[in-house]
Amino acid sequence: MIPRKRDGRILYNVKTDRWDVWDVYSKPVALHCGECFEIKLGDHFLSCRIEMDSEWVIYLSNTRFHLHPKVSYWIRVE
């Protein structure tokens, strides 16, 4: 059986300095460096990995994007 992917959001938690996954699990779950998921860009979900540099970034292939702490991002997880 193929695992069902679920849509949710990530929001920055200033108290923990982490991004939390919302709307997927029974309570928010913190993301850690190296975790993979899909992020929505336009109308498409693209595979990415989250990492901590001087600030939180995501990698899509060899491209790095900084996450803005005042923005929520739509994601998809297994």
Side-chain angles (χ1 to χ4, degrees), residues 38-48 58 60 65 73-74:
E38 295 176 359
I39 191 162
K40 189 173 185 180
L41 296 176
D43 293 332
H44 304 282
F45 283 91
L46 302 173
S47 295
C48 68
I58 58 165
L60 298 135
F65 291 94
Y73 298 91
W74 288 102

Side-chain angles (χ1 to χ4, degrees), residues 12-19 52 56:
Y12 182 69
N13 184 333
V14 70
K15 292 180 183 178
T16 61
D17 188 29
R18 292 197 179 275
W19 287 83
M52 174 55 112
W56 286 101

